[in-house]
Amino acid sequence: MSAQEPIATSRPPVPPATKSPPAAGSSSARAEGAAPEITFDIRDLSVFYGASQALQNVTLQVLTHQVTAIIGPSGCGKSTFIRTLNRMHELTPGARHTGSIRLLGEDLYGPGIDPTIVRRQVGMVFQKSNPFPTLSIAENVLVGLRLNGVRDKALLRERLEESLRMAALWDEVKDILGRPGIGLSGGQQQRLCIARALAVRPEVLLMDEPCSALDPLATAKIEELINSLRASYTVIIVTHNMQQAARVSDRTAFFYLGKLVEYDETRTIFMNPANPQTEAYVSGRFG
């Protein structure tokens, strides 16, 4: 992941999933008895914006090919946390951090690590869909590849279809690829943004409340998509929706006032949390 590393184009194509992958930790999901791989190893992470501290001494490990949900009330540091995972928080003046984050064993903030390379490996989908208003559906998907120098037309066509299929959007837009991306519905625009993130074949997909502005039908499509992406990507999703976290995630982290209160398997967090604060939050007594 050095500054000289070219855009990753060798990641094998990912066929669209036709059914949910095996449950995380099951014998069919990985070799029996094998320890789960770690995508992010985060140790004593604290984040500051000027004199204000947003995160305090967060330590956790994000497992590979699992969906991790980040929950907690507004202002607890959820979005700041995931932005540190692709160094987007650095775009805010006065931002700094202490502690360490390792991505697949490599120091994310080590000397010579180019943040733009990091952001190719760790894609981001934001709360509000943000297709480029002057670009077509096709060009919205391919913009990242083009910006990184990919000019091979056959490769671009292949990535276009592959990414739209992965985002469960191909069948809806294959005949209107030249139309503006902003002409799609809200849910379609969000899936278009997911396709754009997938086109560069990242290792990780970060999703910051991707369904907060969507209707129930569009939300169900995004949740279906998250379940299918688990087979090929590590997904981290910030959500205020407790039911959504329970439906889509393997593990859940509960943040409160900038601290990680509890992190465990999702079933445990919702059914038998160890911390009374967690139990109060997931049962709706505050937040």
Side-chain angles (χ1 to χ4, degrees):
M1 194 166 53
S2 66
Q4 290 77 32
E5 182 180 335
I7 187 169
T9 57
S10 58
R11 197 188 216 278
V14 183
T18 56
K19 59 181 180 180
S20 297
S26 70
S27 59
S28 57
R30 65 173 188 264
E32 187 175 354
E37 294 180 9
I38 296 167
T39 293
F40 282 110
D41 188 6
I42 299 146
R43 304 282 174 173
D44 299 316
L45 175 66
S46 294
V47 178
F48 304 82
Y49 296 107
S52 175
Q53 185 168 5
L55 289 177
Q56 301 179 43
N57 301 315
V58 173
T59 294
L60 62 82
Q61 293 178 327
V62 176
L63 303 184
T64 301
H65 290 178
Q66 290 198 4
V67 177
T68 299
I70 311 297
I71 63 171
S74 296
C76 71
K78 302 185 299 297
S79 293
T80 291
F81 172 71
I82 66 165
R83 285 167 184 261
T84 65
L85 302 183
N86 74 347
R87 299 184 57 165
M88 285 201 68
H89 76 294
E90 293 179 319
L91 301 176
T92 302
R96 60 187 176 88
H97 82 283
T98 59
S100 68
I101 302 176
R102 303 189 77 84
L103 170 61
L104 300 173
E106 189 168 0
D107 184 357
L108 201 68
Y109 291 84
I113 300 298
D114 184 345
T116 60
I117 301 294
V118 171
R119 290 168 198 146
R120 291 179 204 157
Q121 292 186 300
V122 185
M124 173 79 87
V125 176
F126 297 93
Q127 181 174 358
K128 180 173 171 53
S129 58
N130 58 347
F132 293 103
T134 61
L135 297 184
S136 68
I137 294 168
E139 289 304 318
N140 260 285
V141 175
L142 299 175
V143 64
L145 291 170
R146 291 196 187 280
L147 287 173
N148 286 286
V150 178
R151 295 291 181 265
D152 185 301
K153 291 183 179 180
L155 176 60
L156 291 171
R157 283 196 301 270
E158 175 190 320
R159 290 290 185 86
L160 174 62
E161 181 172 349
E162 174 191 303
S163 303
L164 287 170
R165 285 190 182 278
M166 282 294 293
L169 192 56
W170 174 253
D171 288 339
E172 297 171 38
V173 302
K174 62 183 178 182
D175 297 323
I176 56 170
L177 294 171
R179 293 185 187 176
I182 58 170
L184 298 173
S185 69
Q188 288 174 322
Q189 287 188 29
Q190 192 66 296
R191 283 182 285 148
L192 180 65
C193 294
I194 293 171
R196 183 174 67 199
L198 296 177
V200 296
R201 292 184 180 168
E203 296 291 338
V204 182
L205 189 62
L206 308 176
M207 309 181 87
D208 192 358
E209 298 192 57
C211 302
S212 64
L214 303 181
D215 61 45
L217 184 59
T219 294
K221 285 181 178 288
I222 297 291
E223 290 183 3
E224 234 178 275
L225 173 57
I226 291 169
N227 280 322
S228 69
L229 291 175
R230 177 194 282 110
S232 303
Y233 298 92
T234 300
V235 179
I236 303 174
I237 177 173
V238 169
T239 180
H240 274 103
N241 187 322
M242 297 300 96
Q243 291 78 19
Q244 181 174 77
R247 285 192 297 265
V248 305
S249 68
D250 301 285
R251 299 179 70 82
T252 295
F254 169 52
F255 282 71
Y256 185 58
L257 297 178
K259 296 180 180 180
L260 175 62
V261 176
E262 190 167 353
Y263 178 50
D264 210 326
E265 292 184 358
T266 294
R267 182 182 295 105
T268 299
I269 291 292
F270 284 95
M271 302 299 294
N272 189 30
N275 191 297
Q277 240 179 359
T278 308
E279 197 277 332
Y281 181 73
V282 299
S283 63
R285 292 208 293 276
F286 80 97

